[in-house]
Amino acid sequence: MRPLLRLNPYFLKYRGRLLLGAVFIVLSNLFAVYAPRVVRDAFDLIGEAVALRDVPLSERTLAVPPILDRWLGWTGMDIAGRLQQVTDPDGLAATVAWLSVLLGVLYLVLALLKGFFMFLMRQTIIVVSRLIEYDLKNTVYAHYQQLDRAFYKRNSTGDLLNRISEDVGKVRMYLGPAVMYTINLVVLFVLCISFMLSVNVELTLYALAPLPLMSIAIYHVSNVINRRSMAVQREQSRLSTLAQESFSGIRVLKAYAKEATAEAHFREAAEDFRQRRLDQARVDSLFMPAIMLLIGVSTTLTIFIGGMKLIQGDPTVSVGNIAEFVIYVNMLTWPFASVGWVTSLVQQASASMERLNEFLETAPEVLSEGDGLKVVHGAITFQRVGFRYPDTGIQALEDVSFHVPAGGTLAVVGHTGSGKSTIADLIARQFDATEGEVLIDGVPIRRIDLHTLRASLGYVPQDVFLFSDTIRANIAFSLDTDQVTRERVERAARTAQVHHNIVDFPKGYDTLLGERGITLSGGQKQRVSIARAIAGDPRILVFDDPLSAVDTATEEAILRGLREELKDRTTVIISHRISAVQHADHILVLEHGRVVEEGRHDQLLERGGVYAELHQEQLLEEARSASA
Ligand SMILES: Nc1ncnc2c1ncn2[C@@H]1O[C@H](COP(=O)(O)OP(=O)(O)OP(=O)(O)O)[C@@H](O)[C@H]1O
Ligand SMILES: [Mg+2]
């Protein structure tokens, strides 16, 4: 139960509606427990009328059914006058029929009132649970947005999605049905039992004896059902992960002609799923019959004991009482059954809430410790920076130092896995350096407000991501809505050399990308991503291998355009191609996370080290591909 305490503020927020809901529950139950009284009176009325047949006409009297007396007395209806008629030879049947109709109408009115308040009770309590569900989803989502990349690395997308949908849904079952049925149970229990006790204590005890047994049985059965449905859910998510992967990886799958293997995998998972479902169905199908059996025992006991008392002439028991008790027992069945059900709902909700709390209590590790810098000019300094990935323990950077003045250009080259992207991640503060210090304009990056930092930074990540939206929206992503102008978006696209591609699409900048839209080529995607980075006119630009998917000639054209446009911006360009970095003011050559050489293009060539080697390799490669 403890994890669920976290929900109390929400209950407090909606306390008015919840209180109203509780009032509705009481009202609906009140009308419900009066209904069996009507049935009792109807039975007793008939019994009395039958007995009157042996009484001489002049001595016949018929009492007003008590419930009518109570409920209809105030209408001023002349019930007593009608009763005189029983002394007429034909009056008895007519009077009994008339009274029965009145009882029938009363029963109907009670049922309608009960239904009406039940409707209101659902409209308040279940609606509140939906409102809290909405609040909770938003809270969880907002928290997800605060968390850093390391968190996303640790937790799978499926898990994140599950917690915000499945787990929040389970918690809602506690907020709504569990709370509602618990209040309902208590109210109905108190009302029903006190009504029954007021009639006959002994009969009450006999009638209720099997019910606790039922609660226990149902609790155990629900536990088994829960365990099995959890197994079903696990299989279900395995099945959907499998299906989802095969759909998103359909290119690879088809390219390797692995359709049959995928089908076999799926069939196997589906078979497991079927097995679990059948296991679950088996216990499910035991559930109702078990309840029915116990109700049957209760009903039989009531009729048997009640009948015995009636025959023995116990004055406190009438035929009507037996009928009434049978109905009470049936009314109590569902609440008793729901004890087990509600208990398991609460257990599930508690487990789900624990999972949610685990995420909600995760604090982002990348935090701004104040706002030490209001305006970013763009000087970047690394002071003996080291970085170790926390989860893999891989030392990606070691003792890296450099300084780029505001407006300067730094290039980073190196073989794959040498730590280039890690440098970009540290500048964009996706992670914090584990050793040394990263400074912007001489201020430690931790002390700069994250929004200030990221608003002055254009970052083109190595793996381009475009949203399923229009090209315009993708480019204008970094801009606030009031800053988005056609000129701005187009200028960025022109600088990134992608404008001419975009206008060739029938819908131009309004072309939809992604699942429901067109697919851009790898090079086009990279250029849209560059346009996005420069559209915001940031002070610092970080390009992580931005042009790996375009040919050298286009690369040259784009870089020339960018150099013109971004003269006074600080630019960090990462590449494994020499051609992309040769014009930089300063070039770092990385190997295994360390800077092995640095300087300008010509200086590095002269040195004849790693850089010169790389240059030679790439020249040869170019010549080879040109002659091929
Ligand atoms: N998120 C991560 N978690 C754990 N280890 C990582 C992560 N990202 C990178 N690494 C490891 O850190 C090292 C440096 O990776 P990095 O991505 O910086 O290389 P890179 O120079 O950008 O390579 P490439 O040219 O292929 O892009 C590699 O050994 C890599 O396996
Ligand atoms: Mg990289």
Side-chain angles (χ1 to χ4, degrees), residues 92-299:
L92 184 60
T95 306
V96 170
W98 182 74
L99 286 173
S100 304
V101 168
L102 276 188
L103 284 170
V105 170
L106 182 58
Y107 190 87
L108 209 69
V109 169
L110 287 174
L112 282 175
L113 283 170
K114 168 193 153 188
F116 176 64
F117 285 111
M118 220 159 152
F119 168 76
L120 290 181
M121 128 187 143
R122 296 190 69 87
Q123 279 297 308
T124 44
I125 297 192
I126 301 293
V127 165
V128 165
S129 79
R130 289 288 180 202
L131 291 176
I132 300 182
E133 179 187 31
Y134 168 82
D135 291 348
L136 198 59
K137 274 197 176 160
N138 285 328
T139 309
V140 174
Y141 187 79
H143 191 72
Y144 278 177
Q145 295 295 319
Q146 299 302 315
L147 292 167
D148 43 57
R149 283 256 308 273
F151 171 82
Y152 286 91
K153 189 93 204 315
R154 276 198 306 276
N155 298 288
S156 69
T157 313
D159 198 18
L160 293 173
L161 286 177
N162 257 334
R163 291 191 202 204
I164 206 168
S165 55
E166 288 275 318
D167 285 329
V168 172
K170 291 247 171 72
V171 170
R172 189 201 73 84
M173 287 301 277
Y174 157 71
L175 296 165
V179 166
M180 189 174 76
Y181 284 119
T182 307
I183 305 178
N184 195 45
L185 167 71
V186 173
V187 173
L188 185 67
F189 189 81
V190 170
L191 287 176
C192 244
I193 306 272
S194 50
F195 269 53
M196 287 168 86
L197 285 175
S198 75
V199 174
N200 190 305
V201 177
E202 200 185 341
L203 199 56
T204 306
L205 293 181
Y206 277 111
L208 295 184
L211 292 183
L213 211 70
M214 183 166 82
S215 271
I216 296 170
I218 287 170
Y219 174 70
H220 284 290
V221 176
S222 316
N223 268 348
V224 178
I225 290 182
N226 265 343
R227 233 177 299 128
R228 304 218 169 157
S229 58
M230 237 124 96
V232 167
Q233 260 169 29
R234 264 198 305 280
E235 286 302 324
Q236 169 119 50
S237 69
R238 183 173 147 222
L239 204 60
S240 38
T241 308
L242 207 71
Q244 190 244 323
E245 283 220 330
S246 68
F247 298 147
S248 48
I250 192 76
R251 265 196 191 172
V252 181
L253 214 141
K254 286 211 171 283
Y256 284 86
K258 285 287 180 194
E259 292 96 334
T261 323
E263 207 183 310
H265 279 318
F266 187 83
R267 183 170 304 129
E268 194 187 310
E271 166 62 31
D272 285 343
F273 178 67
R274 185 185 70 139
Q275 205 51 52
R276 297 276 168 258
R277 267 275 191 241
L278 288 180
D279 287 349
Q280 188 195 19
R282 217 164 292 132
V283 257
D284 270 350
S285 57
L286 259 177
F287 195 72
M288 277 323 276
I291 295 182
M292 287 308 185
L293 177 73
L294 286 159
I295 304 177
V297 172
S298 265
T299 310

Side-chain angles (χ1 to χ4, degrees), residues 149 153 389 391-392 394-396 414-423 431 462 544-545 574 576:
R149 283 256 308 273
K153 189 93 204 315
Y389 280 99
D391 40 343
T392 53
I394 291 175
Q395 183 84 35
H415 285 112
T416 172
S418 56
K420 303 183 297 293
S421 297
T422 310
I423 290 188
F431 303 100
Q462 190 167 18
D544 191 354
D545 222 352
I574 292 168
H576 51 259

Side-chain angles (χ1 to χ4, degrees), residues 584-600:
D585 306 337
H586 194 74
I587 303 169
L588 297 183
V589 184
L590 277 190
E591 210 150 28
H592 305 299
R594 289 177 163 276
V595 179
V596 288
E597 287 172 11
E598 58 185 304
R600 276 201 323 274

Side-chain angles (χ1 to χ4, degrees), residues 273-429:
F273 178 67
R274 185 185 70 139
Q275 205 51 52
R276 297 276 168 258
R277 267 275 191 241
L278 288 180
D279 287 349
Q280 188 195 19
R282 217 164 292 132
V283 257
D284 270 350
S285 57
L286 259 177
F287 195 72
M288 277 323 276
I291 295 182
M292 287 308 185
L293 177 73
L294 286 159
I295 304 177
V297 172
S298 265
T299 310
T300 313
L301 266 176
T302 310
I303 296 176
F304 180 73
I305 306 287
M308 293 291 276
K309 284 184 176 297
L310 203 64
I311 291 165
Q312 286 160 5
D314 186 330
T316 59
V317 177
S318 69
V319 186
N321 287 141
I322 298 178
E324 177 186 27
F325 266 55
V326 169
I327 300 179
Y328 280 134
V329 166
N330 278 278
M331 268 170 65
L332 281 174
T333 315
W334 170 239
F336 263 99
S338 70
V339 173
W341 183 65
V342 166
T343 314
S344 70
L345 275 189
V346 173
Q347 279 173 355
Q348 285 182 45
S350 171
S352 287
M353 197 65 215
E354 201 171 338
R355 274 199 294 274
L356 284 175
N357 286 345
E358 187 195 331
F359 275 5
L360 288 174
E361 279 155 18
T362 309
E365 277 156 34
V366 173
L367 280 174
S368 19
E369 296 162 6
D371 48 353
L373 191 64
K374 295 284 187 219
V375 183
V376 173
H377 294 288
I380 306 170
T381 316
F382 269 47
Q383 281 174 352
R384 316 207 61 171
V385 168
F387 184 73
R388 183 189 290 277
Y389 280 99
D391 40 343
T392 53
I394 291 175
Q395 183 84 35
L397 289 180
E398 234 180 310
D399 199 15
V400 173
S401 300
F402 61 81
H403 175 75
V404 197
T409 314
L410 176 80
V412 185
V413 275
H415 285 112
T416 172
S418 56
K420 303 183 297 293
S421 297
T422 310
I423 290 188
D425 282 340
L426 291 183
I427 298 174
R429 217 176 155 211

